[in-house]
Amino acid sequence: IKGKRLINIDTEEEGTFYYGCAGGVNANFDLPAKYIDTPKETGFYEIDISGLQGGHSGVQIHEKHANAHKLLGRILYHLTDYFSEKDTIFSIAEIKGGDAKNVITLKATVIVGINPAYKTNLENEVKNCLNTFKNEYAGSEPDMKITTKEVDKSFDKILSDETLEKLISALVLIPNDVLAQHT
């Protein structure tokens, strides 16, 4: 089949046709990770994002559901800034999230390393982020949860500041949501 135009009539609803397309772009990139030895005075805390609606990127994208990866990037950006002002360690030991390329991610988890003296600060700042997100997504994410808990696990290595900055930049800057729409 040859052609200059694509007309997508697949709406996933029988008897309904679209004259457009919900498309996506896949981009693969490598982010070489550099690690540093974990300082002795480091505690590990899990930040878990859950309760989001999620959905298919072509079917629910217009419903303005929150993407757990994007929320996680914003939280990490905020926490990096916050803890740099305190002149204390903040980094990532482990990060997980996402199920498939064409979905709106509904959960993500990160384990961060901080000085245990700042545990309450971490919990409060994550709650502040949750409150901000609940206001932003009041109509589309009624069950959003972001929790923080101490983990009984230790890590010998954490991400270097340079790698942490690149990872957070990728999470925050990669495009998400409807980029253009013709109605």
Side-chain angles (χ1 to χ4, degrees):
I1 297 176
K2 291 183 179 182
K4 293 184 180 187
R5 301 237 192 290
L6 166 68
I7 299 175
N8 180 11
I9 58 172
D10 174 18
T11 66
E12 298 190 17
E13 293 178 38
E14 191 171 335
T16 303
F17 298 98
Y18 286 152
Y19 69 92
C21 182
V25 175
N26 294 325
N28 297 315
F29 66 94
D30 290 322
L31 176 62
K34 293 181 183 173
Y35 295 89
I36 61 170
D37 292 332
T38 302
K40 290 183 197 274
E41 293 297 319
T42 302
F44 294 96
Y45 304 86
E46 179 183 275
I47 301 169
D48 183 66
I49 300 172
S50 63
L52 302 179
Q53 299 288 320
H56 185 282
S57 62
V59 179
Q60 282 91 20
I61 195 70
H62 67 287
E63 295 175 6
K64 302 294 184 191
H65 292 171
N67 179 323
H69 288 142
K70 300 302 283 183
L71 297 182
L72 185 62
R74 289 175 60 191
I75 291 168
L76 292 171
Y77 180 84
H78 173 74
L79 293 174
T80 300
D81 189 47
Y82 177 85
F83 284 108
S84 71
E85 290 178 7
K86 304 290 182 207
D87 198 28
T88 187
I89 187 75
F90 175 83
S91 193
I92 294 175
E94 187 175 282
I95 187 167
K96 297 178 189 174
D99 296 325
K101 292 180 192 179
N102 63 341
V103 299
I104 303 163
T105 306
L106 57 94
K107 59 184 176 179
T109 303
V110 65
I111 297 177
V112 298
I114 62 166
N115 183 319
Y118 291 97
K119 175 185 176 189
T120 302
N121 301 66
L122 174 70
E123 292 168 341
N124 289 338
E125 292 307 309
V126 170
K127 283 180 189 172
N128 290 341
C129 289
L130 174 60
N131 290 335
T132 298
F133 300 154
K134 280 189 170 269
N135 284 332
E136 289 176 14
Y137 293 96
S140 62
E141 296 294 353
D143 300 322
M144 179 188 304
K145 294 181 189 85
I146 304 176
T147 59
T148 308
K149 69 177 182 182
E150 190 168 357
V151 294
D152 255 355
K153 204 172 175 183
S154 64
F155 297 84
D156 295 333
K157 303 275 186 187
I158 55 176
L159 290 181
S160 70
D161 288 345
E162 177 187 359
T163 301
L164 178 65
E165 183 178 332
K166 288 178 181 178
L167 174 62
I168 293 169
S169 293
L171 288 170
V172 171
L173 296 174
I174 289 175
N176 177 70
D177 210 348
V178 176
L179 302 181
Q181 185 173 349
H182 173 74
T183 55

